[in-house]
Amino acid sequence: MIKKFIQRVLGGLSPSGRKAVARGEVLEKSKVSAGRAVRSKNAPSAALALVSEKSRAHPRSRVYTQAEHGVDRRDISDAALRTCEGLQDAGYEAFVVGGAVRDLLIGRHPKDFDVATSATPEQVRNVFRRSRIIGRRFRIVHVMFGQETIEVTTFRGAGGGAADEPAIEEPVENMAAAVSNTSSGVSTDESEAEEPQTRSRRRQRDRDFRRSNEKGPTSQADEHGRLLRDNVFGSQEEDAIRRDFTMNALFYDPSREEILDYVNGVPDIQKKCVVIIGDPVDRYREDPVRMLRAARLAGKLGFTIDPATEAPIAEMSALLANVPQARLFDEMLKLLLSGHALLCIEKLRSLGLHQQLLPAIDGLLRDEQSRPFVTLALRRTDERIAADKGVSPGFLFAALFWFPMLARQRELEDKGVRQLQAMHEAMDDVLDQQRKTLAIPRRLDPMVKELWLAQPKFLQRSQGKAHRTLSHPRFRACYDFFELRALAGDAPHDVATWWEAFQFADDDVRETMLQPDDEPKKKRSRNRKKKKPVVNDAPIASVQGELAIGDTDKTDDAHSTEKIHE
């Protein structure tokens, strides 16, 4: 009888579930029953509610029911629901966490969904075949469902780090092996598809990580108190307390449709207030990027910053100099692409944080000539994001640094440098100068420079030059940049209108729109080849020698020359 029961239990579980049973991690019949239940996205599974009450007991948290918080389970992505259910089936706790819960509470649709769980990264990896462990600073797991990737983090304990920070991704070899053949519906195990050498390296990293955990918590900070590495696992309450802001420390349980709040996050959201968890001085010292996040959240959501949270920012803003430039660039990109870029930048300026990221932005927004163009570029970016259209970071940075580049070009021209050479040198100088504070990837340089170099060409509307400009691979982006300049008063508006009509006109109409070429045509230099002397019997060298040593009168006399040739 016992044997039949075990066979029935193992038969109802997935391969990863059977491994969990073999390790003794799934012991209760209620959890096994949950693994065999049929679930749907529209209604929470009844079987999932059978998970032991002991694991669901959170006496120190405030629990909000669906009637109280009003979050609809159907607004959560199917991939996030499947991730939570898969982990719960295997006997672990799993919740949708972070900004997704915050956005759902304020009526926004989240861009992505993160999951927090009691399972370690290796255990998550065993549950989901299409997953991979990434990160050095924070070990997390990417669980892949088709084109969607869910970021799964383990509950982290008291170590001072930020559980909601992005992991520093390690190089992944043979990425194609990690993606399954979705067209055929067959999922390929990453470990089976990898090359032997790649697989051995990954297994060695996992072994080293497990050994480091056995020795003790892996938490490391620099001399300024900023955490460099932190993989200390803990309870759900510890995980909530160590997150950055109260609004980001909420846990949503899809199976019960409940929100667990340990840090008074729901009331802070209702008050529209950004409140940091813990002592602000200590938390900013642990991770100075939290100051940028406070500004971004306040600008993006239209919230105010709690006075105690805002007070130390001005004094501690210099700590941003200790943050890797790549992280600062990522955070700045989030700010510019938040859909409220202008408000976020204004918040940065009010907090004094812009000097660490974009030192020139303060002058650009104060100058009467550059302010309309920068403001319009940021506003157009927000409009495109609101319309769910693509936005190019290269276009945005080209707009931000356009006027600094022009100023540098004029300086070089005043020193006698030619116009085109001065423009090329100015482009390099401005981008290199900005990289001292913000690690703008060099892969963006070609697009930024193409946008800048194309601007003078729009003023040339003669036959050959207009058609060459129209055939530019990035013509539309270059024209959009010129149009922004025209709307801001930095370029002739009639020229922008002409190009708008010219690019959509028929060939016959275009010919009538072309303007005569007023520039003087350059005279072509004709390279005339010198005729070589005709030599019959004597070599050329001997002839030249006789001419050189001969009488000058003979060289001028045609008859004398003929005699030499003879």
Side-chain angles (χ1 to χ4, degrees):
M1 182 176 178
I2 296 176
K3 184 177 181 180
K4 290 182 179 180
F5 172 77
I6 294 176
Q7 290 176 349
R8 187 172 72 250
V9 168
L10 295 179
L13 287 176
S14 62
S16 58
R18 290 196 293 271
K19 293 178 182 178
V21 173
R23 293 193 307 267
E25 295 171 355
V26 182
L27 298 177
E28 297 177 348
K29 182 179 177 181
S30 60
K31 297 178 184 179
V32 176
S33 301
R36 299 198 305 266
V38 178
R39 296 168 298 275
S40 64
K41 181 180 178 181
N42 296 330
S45 171
L48 288 175
L50 299 177
V51 179
S52 64
E53 292 297 331
K54 182 178 179 180
S55 64
R56 293 298 184 187
H58 302 281
R60 299 187 62 177
S61 65
R62 168 74 164 88
V63 179
Y64 293 87
T65 63
Q66 201 282 332
E68 293 174 313
H69 59 68
V71 173
D72 193 342
R73 188 174 187 269
R74 291 172 295 183
D75 293 333
I76 300 175
S77 74
D78 184 65
L81 294 177
R82 290 169 62 186
T83 301
C84 290
E85 292 170 358
L87 290 169
Q88 290 174 354
D89 289 351
Y92 306 109
E93 295 181 280
F95 302 84
V96 177
V97 70
V101 184
R102 175 201 68 215
D103 291 343
L104 290 171
L105 285 173
I106 62 179
R108 292 171 176 251
H109 181 70
K111 291 174 57 180
D112 47 40
F113 293 84
D114 298 333
V115 171
T117 179
S118 59
T120 64
E122 287 76 14
Q123 291 169 339
V124 176
R125 177 73 179 84
N126 290 333
V127 173
F128 299 100
R129 300 179 67 187
R130 293 197 65 227
S131 62
R132 60 191 179 102
I133 300 175
I134 70 167
R136 294 186 296 272
R137 188 181 185 198
F138 301 106
R139 299 271 290 185
I140 65 175
V141 183
H142 279 176
V143 180
M144 291 161 279
F145 295 91
Q147 299 297 322
E148 187 173 2
T149 299
I150 303 297
E151 190 173 281
V152 181
T153 58
T154 303
F155 294 151
R156 304 195 181 271
D164 57 342
E165 290 183 0
I168 302 176
E169 192 163 334
E170 297 176 348
V172 179
E173 303 89 348
N174 196 12
M175 278 292 295
V179 181
S180 68
N181 186 1
T182 54
S183 60
S184 61
V186 179
S187 179
T188 302
D189 192 350
E190 183 182 17
S191 61
E192 296 174 358
E194 287 177 333
E195 295 294 334
Q197 186 178 2
T198 302
R199 186 164 61 249
S200 63
R201 286 197 296 265
R202 180 177 61 81
R203 289 176 176 174
Q204 183 61 41
R205 289 198 303 266
D206 294 341
R207 283 195 296 269
D208 294 341
F209 176 70
R210 285 193 295 268
R211 289 170 184 170
S212 64
N213 279 347
E214 292 173 358
K215 294 178 182 179
T218 57
S219 182
Q220 180 183 358
D222 63 7
E223 65 274 13
H224 304 285
R226 185 176 65 88
L227 283 175
L228 302 176
R229 187 181 300 271
D230 189 16
N231 288 287
V232 183
F233 301 145
S235 65
Q236 183 182 17
E237 182 179 359
E238 290 174 326
D239 185 79
I241 293 174
R242 54 177 285 132
R243 291 181 178 268
D244 52 6
F245 302 102
T246 58
M247 65 175 66
N248 294 334
L250 302 175
F251 298 83
Y252 176 79
D253 185 353
S255 63
R256 294 180 166 229
E257 297 190 90
E258 294 176 345
I259 290 180
L260 278 65
D261 184 5
Y262 292 91
V263 292
N264 206 43
V266 173
D268 289 338
I269 291 177
Q270 294 172 345
K271 292 186 294 185
K272 297 185 176 182
C273 188
V274 180
V275 182
I276 199 167
I277 300 173
D279 181 48
V281 175
D282 293 339
R283 303 312 301 277
Y284 292 148
R285 185 176 290 110
E286 291 168 358
D287 186 9
V289 173
R290 288 183 177 129
M291 294 182 282
L292 301 179
R293 288 203 193 103
R296 174 165 59 87
L297 290 173
K300 175 183 177 180
L301 303 177
F303 285 16
T304 59
I305 300 179
D306 178 64
T309 302
E310 182 178 352
I313 291 180
E315 183 179 350
M316 303 186 71
S317 60
L319 292 177
L320 289 171
N322 304 322
V323 178
Q325 293 184 358
R327 282 197 68 203
L328 292 180
F329 175 78
D330 290 341
E331 197 63 32
M332 191 64 195
L333 206 57
K334 291 180 182 179
L335 187 148
L336 293 175
L337 303 181
S338 64
H340 301 80
L342 187 59
L343 294 175
C344 291
I345 286 182
E346 292 290 357
K347 197 65 180 178
L348 282 181
R349 293 178 63 200
S350 66
L351 296 174
L353 296 174
H354 64 286
Q355 294 293 344
Q356 303 296 332
L357 298 174
L358 295 171
I361 196 67
D362 195 47
L364 292 175
L365 293 178
R366 289 183 179 181
D367 185 71
E368 294 183 357
Q369 184 180 5
S370 59
R371 179 180 174 82
F373 176 67
V374 175
T375 302
L376 184 60
L378 295 175
R379 188 172 294 126
R380 282 290 182 88
T381 301
D382 295 341
E383 292 173 357
R384 289 186 64 88
I385 293 175
D388 200 20
K389 296 181 179 179
V391 177
S392 170
F395 187 96
L396 197 53
F397 286 118
L400 291 176
F401 305 138
W402 167 248
F403 278 92
M405 190 278 296
L406 290 180
R408 178 57 180 162
Q409 180 184 355
R410 285 191 290 268
E411 292 178 5
L412 294 173
E413 289 179 354
D414 293 341
K415 295 179 181 179
V417 182
R418 292 185 177 182
Q419 181 180 8
L420 185 58
Q421 181 181 354
M423 189 173 189
H424 279 278
E425 293 182 10
M427 291 189 297
D428 292 333
D429 292 346
V430 169
L431 292 176
D432 291 341
Q433 179 67 27
Q434 186 57 45
R435 285 193 184 92
K436 295 179 180 179
T437 56
L438 200 65
I440 300 177
R442 292 190 180 274
R443 59 181 172 81
L444 297 179
D445 287 10
M447 181 177 185
V448 173
K449 292 180 179 181
E450 283 183 0
L451 292 174
W452 288 344
L453 289 171
Q455 298 310 299
K457 297 179 181 179
F458 284 100
L459 301 177
Q460 303 169 354
R461 292 174 284 173
S462 59
Q463 183 174 3
K465 296 178 180 179
H467 284 292
R468 282 197 298 269
T469 302
L470 189 62
S471 62
H472 192 284
R474 297 186 186 273
F475 168 80
R476 188 62 204 182
C478 295
Y479 169 73
D480 289 344
F481 195 93
F482 186 84
E483 184 187 27
L484 279 179
R485 292 178 54 214
L487 293 175
D490 184 51
H493 193 273
D494 60 325
V495 177
T497 304
W498 185 91
W499 278 102
E500 178 68 22
F502 182 76
Q503 61 182 307
F504 297 110
D506 297 333
D507 293 339
D508 296 337
V509 178
R510 285 179 181 176
E511 293 299 325
T512 61
M513 295 178 63
L514 292 172
Q515 297 183 356
D517 191 358
D518 297 333
E519 295 183 1
K521 294 184 179 180
K522 296 181 180 179
K523 294 183 178 180
R524 295 182 179 180
S525 59
R526 301 175 63 182
N527 297 328
R528 296 181 179 180
K529 295 182 180 180
K530 295 181 179 180
K531 294 182 179 180
K532 296 181 180 180
V534 180
V535 180
N536 295 330
D537 299 329
I540 296 178
S542 62
V543 174
Q544 292 178 345
E546 292 182 18
L547 287 173
I549 63 176
D551 189 6
T552 55
D553 294 335
K554 291 182 179 181
T555 59
D556 294 335
D557 191 353
H559 297 286
S560 301
T561 306
E562 292 177 0
K563 292 180 180 179
I564 294 175
H565 288 169
E566 293 178 357

